[in-house]
Amino acid sequence: MGIISNGNTVIDNGAIDANEVDTTQIANDAVTADKLANTAVTAGSYTSASITVDAQGRITSASSGSSGAGGFVPKTLSVGPTSGNYSSTSGTSQILIYGVSGSGGSGGGNSGRGGTGGTGGAGTFAAYTKTVTHPFSQPYSVGGAGNGGSSPGQSGNPGNAGGATSMTTVFNINGGGGGGGQFFGGSGSTGSSGTASNSPTPASVSTSNTGGFLAFSNLGSGANGSTGSGNSGKVGAISVFENIGTG
């Protein structure tokens, strides 16, 4: 085995027994980085790192990862009837869209004959996500309210359907149908609710079941019937969010 004598090391052919080298032979902090065996890790800085550590506590592999996407921030908010063009902000890789279609107007009625126009069909709220590559640009359209049906002398006319809310190549939400007209006793038929198309559609629901959503409160609800000329429905809306937040 090796023998340390008066500061000199004498090595014979024997092996050094386990635990033979301790702080009496090597001073604390005396082993420098140059005396350590290299690992396979390349020296440098790593971002969002993935590392592997061995049983001796040494880092044996390291690689940089990618940071998560930023939080969503609002970019576009419009109410109908209107149209425009959405263009992504630099750094955007995903968009989240909330949309509501316009609702239908109620049908016309006649109070003298006991007829009440049917309720307009509710618009529909839907949410969409889409992965995009900047620059991304698409036109959008936001539905308006359906007009109520008229009540001329001998008939009650149906209301008009609400307008669709859409973004080209991304989604389309059809508006609610107009309520049926009713001249004689009774009520006209209720207009059909709007429908959401173009998958993926994480969530779509008639606004009559939710009372609206966030800034869309009270939008998209169908017009109530009347015994005279029908009432107009409610306008639709669109809101686009981008994943560029840093908070």
Side-chain angles (χ1 to χ4, degrees):
M1 63 174 292
I3 300 172
I4 299 176
S5 177
N6 296 325
N8 296 318
T9 303
V10 179
I11 304 294
D12 62 17
N13 292 328
I16 298 176
D17 293 336
N19 301 322
E20 285 295 320
V21 178
D22 56 30
T23 55
T24 61
Q25 288 83 38
I26 301 176
N28 291 340
D29 303 322
V31 178
T32 65
D34 290 338
K35 300 298 189 292
L36 299 177
N38 291 335
T39 67
V41 179
T42 301
S45 298
Y46 294 85
T47 303
S48 301
S50 174
I51 64 173
T52 301
V53 180
D54 69 10
Q56 283 73 43
R58 298 179 304 169
I59 297 176
T60 58
S61 68
S63 61
S64 291
S66 58
S67 59
F72 284 96
V73 297
K75 172 65 182 295
T76 299
L77 175 61
S78 295
V79 295
T82 190
S83 60
N85 194 78
Y86 162 74
S87 296
S88 63
T89 302
S90 178
T92 300
S93 60
Q94 189 174 53
I95 57 175
L96 167 65
I97 305 169
Y98 295 142
V100 175
S101 60
S103 65
S106 63
N110 188 290
S111 58
R113 300 287 183 171
T116 301
T119 301
T124 288
F125 164 79
Y128 298 85
T129 58
K130 181 175 178 62
T131 300
V132 301
T133 300
H134 178 78
F136 175 81
S137 181
Q138 290 293 330
Y140 65 83
S141 179
V142 184
N147 294 323
S150 61
S151 180
Q154 295 299 315
S155 63
N157 292 328
N160 296 317
T165 295
S166 63
M167 180 179 288
T168 304
T169 76
V170 180
F171 74 94
N172 181 78
I173 310 171
N174 295 315
Q182 189 75 14
F183 186 71
F184 291 103
S187 297
S189 59
T190 298
S192 58
S193 294
T195 55
S197 60
N198 295 29
S199 296
T201 311
S204 63
V205 61
S206 168
T207 57
S208 62
N209 296 329
T210 63
F213 184 83
L214 298 178
F216 302 144
S217 180
N218 296 322
L219 299 180
S221 55
N224 293 324
S226 70
T227 55
S229 295
N231 299 308
S232 294
K234 298 292 179 67
V235 299
I238 188 173
S239 185
V240 184
F241 298 81
E242 301 173 327
N243 65 331
I244 57 174
T246 57

